[in-house]
Protein backbone atom coordinates (compact mmCIF):
# COMPACT_ATOMS: atom_id res chain seq x y z
CA UNK A 1 0.00 0.00 0.00
CA UNK A 2 1.08 3.62 -0.46
CA UNK A 3 2.25 5.61 2.54
CA UNK A 4 0.32 8.84 2.31
CA UNK A 5 2.66 10.45 4.81
CA UNK A 6 4.97 10.93 1.85
CA UNK A 7 2.39 12.83 -0.21
CA UNK A 8 3.27 16.51 0.26
CA UNK A 9 0.33 18.87 -0.10
CA UNK A 10 1.77 21.55 -2.33
CA UNK A 11 0.96 22.69 -5.80
CA UNK A 12 4.52 21.84 -6.89
CA UNK A 13 4.14 18.26 -5.66
CA UNK A 14 0.72 17.98 -7.27
CA UNK A 15 2.08 19.17 -10.60
CA UNK A 16 5.05 16.82 -10.37
CA UNK A 17 2.72 13.91 -9.69
CA UNK A 18 0.56 14.82 -12.64
CA UNK A 19 3.64 15.00 -14.89
CA UNK A 20 4.89 11.59 -13.71
CA UNK A 21 1.49 10.03 -14.28
CA UNK A 22 1.30 11.60 -17.73
CA UNK A 23 4.76 10.22 -18.59
CA UNK A 24 3.39 6.72 -18.36
CA UNK A 25 -0.21 7.14 -19.51
CA UNK A 26 -0.03 9.86 -22.20
CA UNK A 27 0.25 7.16 -24.86
CA UNK A 28 -2.98 5.49 -23.73
CA UNK A 29 -4.00 6.24 -27.32
CA UNK A 30 -5.38 9.50 -28.68
CA UNK A 31 -8.83 7.91 -28.64
CA UNK A 32 -8.64 7.46 -24.88
CA UNK A 33 -7.45 11.05 -24.49
CA UNK A 34 -10.36 12.29 -26.61
CA UNK A 35 -12.77 10.26 -24.53
CA UNK A 36 -11.33 11.80 -21.39
CA UNK A 37 -11.58 15.37 -22.69
CA UNK A 38 -15.13 14.79 -23.88
CA UNK A 39 -15.98 13.38 -20.48
CA UNK A 40 -14.67 16.49 -18.75
CA UNK A 41 -16.81 18.63 -21.04
CA UNK A 42 -19.85 16.55 -20.11
CA UNK A 43 -18.89 16.83 -16.46
CA UNK A 44 -18.61 20.59 -16.69
CA UNK A 45 -21.99 20.74 -18.41
CA UNK A 46 -23.53 18.66 -15.64
CA UNK A 47 -22.06 20.91 -12.98
CA UNK A 48 -23.25 24.02 -14.81
CA UNK A 49 -26.87 23.04 -14.18
CA UNK A 50 -26.45 23.89 -10.48
CA UNK A 51 -25.32 27.01 -8.68
CA UNK A 52 -22.05 25.33 -7.73
CA UNK A 53 -19.84 23.96 -10.52
CA UNK A 54 -16.90 21.61 -9.99
CA UNK A 55 -14.03 20.91 -12.40
CA UNK A 56 -11.52 18.11 -11.57
CA UNK A 57 -7.89 19.06 -12.30
CA UNK A 58 -4.36 17.66 -11.90
CA UNK A 59 -5.33 14.02 -11.94
CA UNK A 60 -3.68 11.01 -10.33
CA UNK A 61 -3.75 8.01 -12.68
CA UNK A 62 -4.21 4.34 -11.80
CA UNK A 63 -4.09 1.45 -14.28
CA UNK A 64 -5.77 -1.95 -14.07
CA UNK A 65 -7.05 -4.72 -16.37
CA UNK A 66 -10.12 -6.88 -16.73
CA UNK A 67 -10.12 -10.39 -15.25
CA UNK A 68 -9.19 -11.97 -18.59
CA UNK A 69 -6.25 -9.62 -19.28
CA UNK A 70 -7.76 -8.26 -22.50
CA UNK A 71 -8.69 -4.66 -21.64
CA UNK A 72 -6.74 -1.86 -19.98
CA UNK A 73 -8.55 0.61 -17.75
CA UNK A 74 -7.21 4.03 -16.78
CA UNK A 75 -8.92 5.56 -13.75
CA UNK A 76 -8.36 9.05 -12.35
CA UNK A 77 -8.66 10.91 -9.08
CA UNK A 78 -8.32 14.73 -8.87
CA UNK A 79 -5.67 16.29 -6.67
CA UNK A 80 -7.35 19.65 -7.22
CA UNK A 81 -11.02 20.45 -7.81
CA UNK A 82 -11.88 23.94 -9.06
CA UNK A 83 -15.01 25.31 -7.40
CA UNK A 84 -17.15 28.05 -8.92
CA UNK A 85 -20.28 29.69 -7.56
CA UNK A 86 -19.87 28.78 -3.89
CA UNK A 87 -21.90 31.77 -2.65
CA UNK A 88 -22.99 29.65 0.31
CA UNK A 89 -21.61 26.64 2.14
CA UNK A 90 -22.53 23.34 0.52
CA UNK A 91 -21.96 19.60 0.82
CA UNK A 92 -19.84 17.65 -1.63
CA UNK A 93 -19.52 13.88 -1.76
CA UNK A 94 -16.47 12.27 -3.41
CA UNK A 95 -16.56 8.59 -4.40
CA UNK A 96 -13.79 6.43 -5.84
CA UNK A 97 -12.53 2.87 -6.23
CA UNK A 98 -10.61 2.09 -3.04
CA UNK A 99 -8.84 -0.74 -4.83
CA UNK A 100 -7.14 1.85 -7.05
CA UNK A 101 -6.60 4.94 -4.90
CA UNK A 102 -5.47 5.77 -1.38
CA UNK A 103 -7.09 9.04 -0.31
CA UNK A 104 -5.99 10.69 2.92
CA UNK A 105 -8.27 12.38 5.41
CA UNK A 106 -7.93 16.14 5.60
CA UNK A 107 -9.08 17.88 2.42
CA UNK A 108 -8.03 21.52 2.07
CA UNK A 109 -10.46 24.24 0.99
CA UNK A 110 -8.97 27.34 -0.63
CA UNK A 111 -11.00 30.54 -0.05
CA UNK A 112 -10.33 34.27 -0.53
CA UNK A 113 -9.89 34.67 3.24
CA UNK A 114 -7.64 31.70 3.89
CA UNK A 115 -6.94 28.00 3.51
CA UNK A 116 -8.87 25.60 5.74
CA UNK A 117 -8.62 21.87 6.34
CA UNK A 118 -11.96 20.06 6.16
CA UNK A 119 -12.14 17.20 8.62
CA UNK A 120 -13.95 14.21 7.20
CA UNK A 121 -14.17 10.44 7.41
CA UNK A 122 -13.18 8.00 4.67
CA UNK A 123 -15.96 5.41 4.47
CA UNK A 124 -15.45 1.72 3.65
CA UNK A 125 -17.23 2.11 0.31
CA UNK A 126 -14.59 4.60 -0.91
CA UNK A 127 -16.46 7.85 -0.33
CA UNK A 128 -16.44 10.88 1.90
CA UNK A 129 -18.83 13.76 2.61
CA UNK A 130 -17.34 17.25 2.77
CA UNK A 131 -18.88 20.40 4.28
CA UNK A 132 -17.40 23.01 1.94
CA UNK A 133 -17.08 26.59 3.29
CA UNK A 134 -18.66 29.57 1.57
CA UNK A 135 -16.41 31.24 -1.00
CA UNK A 136 -14.33 28.13 -1.68
CA UNK A 137 -12.52 28.35 -5.01
CA UNK A 138 -10.66 25.02 -4.89
CA UNK A 139 -10.55 21.74 -2.99
CA UNK A 140 -7.22 19.96 -2.65
CA UNK A 141 -6.99 16.22 -1.97
CA UNK A 142 -4.04 14.03 -1.06
CA UNK A 143 -4.26 10.89 -3.17
CA UNK A 144 -1.94 8.23 -4.57
CA UNK A 145 -2.43 5.13 -6.75
CA UNK A 146 -2.40 1.73 -5.07
CA UNK A 147 0.29 -0.71 -6.19
CA UNK A 148 -1.80 -3.57 -7.62
CA UNK A 149 1.05 -5.62 -9.07
CA UNK A 150 1.01 -8.55 -9.72
CA UNK A 151 -2.81 -8.84 -9.50
CA UNK A 152 -3.87 -5.84 -11.58
CA UNK A 153 -6.64 -7.81 -13.35
CA UNK A 154 -9.34 -6.64 -10.94
CA UNK A 155 -12.04 -5.95 -13.52
CA UNK A 156 -13.84 -2.74 -14.50
CA UNK A 157 -13.05 -0.03 -11.96
CA UNK A 158 -15.58 2.18 -10.23
CA UNK A 159 -15.71 5.65 -11.81
CA UNK A 160 -14.61 8.51 -9.57
CA UNK A 161 -17.45 11.00 -9.01
CA UNK A 162 -17.92 14.34 -7.28
CA UNK A 163 -21.50 15.04 -6.14
CA UNK A 164 -22.86 18.45 -5.15
CA UNK A 165 -25.74 17.97 -2.71
CA UNK A 166 -28.51 20.55 -2.51
CA UNK A 167 -30.52 21.31 0.62
CA UNK A 168 -32.77 18.33 -0.13
CA UNK A 169 -29.64 16.10 -0.36
CA UNK A 170 -30.29 15.54 -4.08
CA UNK A 171 -26.93 15.10 -5.82
CA UNK A 172 -25.70 16.63 -9.04
CA UNK A 173 -22.94 14.29 -10.17
CA UNK A 174 -19.70 15.35 -11.85
CA UNK A 175 -17.95 12.15 -13.03
CA UNK A 176 -14.20 11.95 -13.51
CA UNK A 177 -14.08 9.84 -16.69
CA UNK A 178 -12.14 6.61 -17.08
CA UNK A 179 -10.77 5.08 -20.30
CA UNK A 180 -10.92 1.48 -21.54
CA UNK A 181 -8.68 0.14 -24.34
CA UNK A 182 -8.39 -3.42 -25.73
CA UNK A 183 -4.84 -4.71 -25.34
CA UNK A 184 -2.52 -7.69 -24.78
CA UNK A 185 -0.85 -6.94 -21.42
CA UNK A 186 2.89 -7.50 -21.00
CA UNK A 187 5.78 -6.24 -18.92
CA UNK A 188 9.53 -6.37 -18.48
CA UNK A 189 11.21 -6.56 -15.08
CA UNK A 190 14.92 -6.12 -14.47
CA UNK A 191 17.35 -7.20 -11.78
CA UNK A 192 21.08 -6.69 -11.40
CA UNK A 193 23.95 -8.06 -9.38
CA UNK A 194 26.50 -5.45 -8.34
CA UNK A 195 30.25 -5.58 -7.75
CA UNK A 196 32.78 -2.99 -6.64
CA UNK A 197 35.77 -2.43 -8.87
CA UNK A 198 38.31 0.39 -8.66
CA UNK A 199 36.18 2.08 -6.02
CA UNK A 200 32.90 2.24 -7.96
CA UNK A 201 29.87 -0.05 -8.00
CA UNK A 202 29.13 -1.61 -11.40
CA UNK A 203 26.81 -4.34 -12.67
CA UNK A 204 28.25 -7.83 -12.92
CA UNK A 205 25.17 -9.06 -14.72
CA UNK A 206 21.71 -7.79 -15.68
CA UNK A 207 18.66 -10.00 -16.13
CA UNK A 208 15.66 -8.95 -18.20
CA UNK A 209 12.51 -10.94 -17.42
CA UNK A 210 9.29 -11.05 -19.44
CA UNK A 211 6.51 -10.96 -16.83
CA UNK A 212 3.59 -11.70 -19.17
CA UNK A 213 0.86 -12.70 -19.50
CA UNK A 214 1.75 -11.96 -23.15
CA UNK A 215 5.21 -11.77 -24.76
CA UNK A 216 7.20 -8.58 -24.37
CA UNK A 217 7.40 -7.09 -27.87
CA UNK A 218 10.56 -7.02 -29.94
CA UNK A 219 12.33 -3.63 -29.91
CA UNK A 220 11.67 -3.23 -26.18
CA UNK A 221 14.77 -1.65 -24.65
CA UNK A 222 16.67 -1.58 -21.39
CA UNK A 223 19.22 1.16 -20.74
CA UNK A 224 22.24 0.26 -18.60
CA UNK A 225 24.84 2.63 -17.15
CA UNK A 226 28.10 1.25 -15.82
CA UNK A 227 30.14 3.68 -13.75
CA UNK A 228 33.36 2.56 -15.40
CA UNK A 229 34.62 1.86 -18.89
CA UNK A 230 33.58 -1.54 -20.24
CA UNK A 231 35.15 -3.40 -23.17
CA UNK A 232 32.21 -3.86 -25.54
CA UNK A 233 33.78 -7.01 -27.01
CA UNK A 234 33.95 -8.61 -23.58
CA UNK A 235 30.23 -8.21 -22.88
CA UNK A 236 28.28 -11.45 -23.07
CA UNK A 237 24.57 -11.66 -23.85
CA UNK A 238 21.94 -14.14 -24.97
CA UNK A 239 20.84 -14.36 -28.58
CA UNK A 240 17.59 -12.46 -28.07
CA UNK A 241 19.32 -9.17 -27.23
CA UNK A 242 21.27 -6.71 -29.39
CA UNK A 243 23.66 -4.37 -27.59
CA UNK A 244 24.68 -0.84 -28.51
CA UNK A 245 27.66 0.35 -26.46
CA UNK A 246 28.92 3.90 -25.96
CA UNK A 247 32.02 3.95 -23.74
CA UNK A 248 34.02 6.91 -22.50
CA UNK A 249 36.98 7.00 -20.16
CA UNK A 250 34.77 7.13 -17.09
CA UNK A 251 31.48 5.36 -17.90
CA UNK A 252 29.70 3.08 -20.33
CA UNK A 253 26.15 3.47 -21.66
CA UNK A 254 24.58 0.30 -23.01
CA UNK A 255 21.29 -0.07 -24.85
CA UNK A 256 19.97 -3.65 -24.75
CA UNK A 257 17.18 -4.17 -27.29
CA UNK A 258 15.05 -7.28 -27.77
CA UNK A 259 15.46 -8.59 -31.31
CA UNK A 260 12.40 -10.84 -30.98
CA UNK A 261 9.33 -11.16 -28.81
CA UNK A 262 10.22 -12.46 -25.35
CA UNK A 263 7.78 -15.10 -24.12
CA UNK A 264 6.24 -14.77 -20.67
CA UNK A 265 8.65 -16.21 -18.10
CA UNK A 266 11.67 -16.06 -20.41
CA UNK A 267 14.88 -14.32 -19.31
CA UNK A 268 17.64 -12.57 -21.24
CA UNK A 269 20.97 -11.98 -19.49
CA UNK A 270 23.80 -9.50 -20.05
CA UNK A 271 27.08 -10.40 -18.29
CA UNK A 272 29.82 -7.83 -17.68
CA UNK A 273 33.58 -8.42 -17.57
CA UNK A 274 35.17 -7.46 -14.26
CA UNK A 275 38.83 -6.80 -13.59
CA UNK A 276 40.73 -8.36 -10.74
CA UNK A 277 40.89 -5.12 -8.77
CA UNK A 278 37.94 -5.06 -6.42
CA UNK A 279 39.50 -4.12 -3.09
CA UNK A 280 39.74 -0.34 -3.13
CA UNK A 281 37.71 1.82 -0.80
CA UNK A 282 34.26 2.59 -2.13
CA UNK A 283 33.89 6.07 -3.60
CA UNK A 284 31.11 7.64 -1.51
CA UNK A 285 30.43 10.39 -4.05
CA UNK A 286 30.88 8.89 -7.53
CA UNK A 287 30.48 11.12 -10.56
CA UNK A 288 28.41 8.41 -12.26
CA UNK A 289 26.00 6.02 -10.55
CA UNK A 290 25.39 2.68 -12.26
CA UNK A 291 21.76 1.87 -13.09
CA UNK A 292 19.41 -0.31 -15.12
CA UNK A 293 16.02 0.84 -16.43
CA UNK A 294 13.36 -0.31 -18.88
CA UNK A 295 12.71 2.36 -21.52
CA UNK A 296 9.03 3.26 -21.86
CA UNK A 297 7.77 2.62 -25.40
CA UNK A 298 5.95 5.29 -27.38
CA UNK A 299 2.70 3.41 -26.82
CA UNK A 300 2.26 2.10 -23.27
CA UNK A 301 -1.19 0.59 -23.80
CA UNK A 302 -1.07 -2.88 -22.25
CA UNK A 303 2.26 -2.29 -20.50
CA UNK A 304 1.95 -3.33 -16.87
CA UNK A 305 3.38 -1.25 -14.02
CA UNK A 306 5.56 -3.76 -12.17
CA UNK A 307 7.59 -1.36 -10.00
CA UNK A 308 10.49 -3.64 -10.97
CA UNK A 309 11.45 -1.76 -14.11
CA UNK A 310 14.65 -0.24 -12.71
CA UNK A 311 17.57 -1.24 -10.50
CA UNK A 312 20.19 0.76 -8.63
CA UNK A 313 23.12 -0.33 -6.45
CA UNK A 314 21.50 0.67 -3.16
CA UNK A 315 19.50 -1.15 -0.50
CA UNK A 316 15.84 -0.20 0.15
CA UNK A 317 17.10 2.11 2.90
CA UNK A 318 19.49 3.86 0.48
CA UNK A 319 22.78 2.31 1.62
CA UNK A 320 25.20 1.58 -1.27
CA UNK A 321 25.61 -2.10 -2.14
CA UNK A 322 29.27 -2.98 -2.20
CA UNK A 323 31.36 -6.15 -2.39
CA UNK A 324 34.34 -4.27 -0.97
CA UNK A 325 36.07 -6.06 1.88
CA UNK A 326 38.87 -4.21 3.68
CA UNK A 327 42.25 -5.88 3.79
CA UNK A 328 42.94 -7.46 7.18
CA UNK A 329 45.50 -5.65 9.32
CA UNK A 330 48.12 -7.26 11.56
Amino acid sequence: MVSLNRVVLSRRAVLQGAVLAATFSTSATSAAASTFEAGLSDAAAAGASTEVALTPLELVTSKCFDEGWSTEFLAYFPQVVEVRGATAAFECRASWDRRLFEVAEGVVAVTPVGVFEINHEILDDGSTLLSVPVGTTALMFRAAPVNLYPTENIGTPKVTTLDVLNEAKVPTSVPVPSAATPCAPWALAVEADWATTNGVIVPSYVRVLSVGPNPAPASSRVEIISATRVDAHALSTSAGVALTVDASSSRTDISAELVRDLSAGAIETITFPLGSENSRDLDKNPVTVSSVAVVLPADTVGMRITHNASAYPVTPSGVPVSTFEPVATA
Side-chain angles (χ1 to χ4, degrees):
M1 302 292 273
V2 177
S3 173
L4 291 174
N5 292 330
R6 298 182 180 179
V7 182
V8 179
L9 186 58
S10 68
R11 186 171 181 85
R12 177 180 176 86
V14 167
L15 288 170
Q16 287 175 336
V19 169
L20 288 174
T23 299
F24 190 89
S25 62
T26 295
S27 56
T29 73
S30 58
S34 299
T35 299
F36 178 73
E37 292 172 0
L40 285 183
S41 298
D42 293 341
S49 64
T50 67
E51 182 178 354
V52 176
L54 306 178
T55 302
L57 303 171
E58 298 177 8
L59 306 174
V60 176
T61 305
S62 187
K63 174 185 281 197
C64 64
F65 300 90
D66 68 313
E67 294 91 339
W69 296 100
S70 63
T71 302
E72 172 190 283
F73 297 101
L74 294 180
Y76 305 91
F77 189 93
Q79 294 275 44
V80 177
V81 177
E82 181 186 10
V83 181
R84 299 186 303 279
T87 56
F90 67 96
E91 289 190 327
C92 173
R93 181 173 58 218
S95 301
W96 62 92
D97 195 322
R98 292 199 74 174
R99 300 172 299 173
L100 298 181
F101 299 103
E102 288 274 357
V103 181
E105 295 184 3
V107 175
V108 169
V110 180
T111 76
V113 296
V115 177
F116 305 93
E117 184 170 325
I118 305 174
N119 293 321
H120 61 101
E121 180 183 2
I122 304 293
L123 303 180
D124 290 340
D125 64 351
S127 67
T128 189
L129 185 63
L130 307 173
S131 295
V132 182
V134 61
T136 295
T137 57
L139 296 171
M140 299 185 69
F141 292 85
R142 290 185 297 158
V146 173
N147 178 10
L148 297 174
Y149 182 80
T151 55
E152 313 99 294
N153 58 330
I154 64 172
T156 304
K158 173 183 174 181
V159 175
T160 302
T161 59
L162 303 168
D163 297 333
V164 176
L165 306 181
N166 62 18
E167 294 182 358
K169 305 299 182 182
V170 176
T172 298
S173 183
V174 180
V176 181
S178 59
T181 308
C183 66
W186 63 277
L188 287 176
V190 296
E191 64 177 30
D193 188 50
W194 308 99
T196 304
T197 180
N198 297 324
V200 294
I201 304 175
V202 297
S204 59
Y205 68 77
V206 172
R207 291 194 185 100
V208 181
L209 169 65
S210 176
V211 175
N214 296 287
S219 76
S220 297
R221 288 190 300 119
V222 172
E223 294 292 339
I224 305 167
I225 297 175
S226 177
T228 189
R229 183 178 177 84
V230 174
D231 181 358
H233 299 291
L235 285 167
S236 174
T237 186
S238 41
V241 176
L243 301 180
T244 302
V245 181
D246 182 10
S248 67
S249 59
S250 60
R251 62 180 283 174
T252 305
D253 295 274
I254 301 162
S255 176
E257 181 174 333
L258 297 182
V259 297
R260 60 194 179 200
D261 291 353
L262 187 61
S263 301
I267 298 175
E268 302 285 3
T269 302
I270 301 100
T271 303
F272 288 71
L274 291 176
S276 59
E277 174 56 69
N278 63 355
S279 58
R280 292 186 184 178
D281 288 325
L282 181 65
D283 184 353
K284 303 299 183 182
N285 297 290
V287 174
T288 301
V289 176
S290 299
S291 64
V292 181
V294 176
V295 178
L296 291 180
D299 184 355
T300 60
V301 172
M303 184 179 183
R304 300 169 63 191
I305 304 174
T306 68
H307 300 278
N308 293 315
S310 61
Y312 299 89
V314 293
T315 67
S317 62
V319 177
V321 176
S322 172
T323 57
F324 168 72
E325 295 182 1
V327 177
T329 58

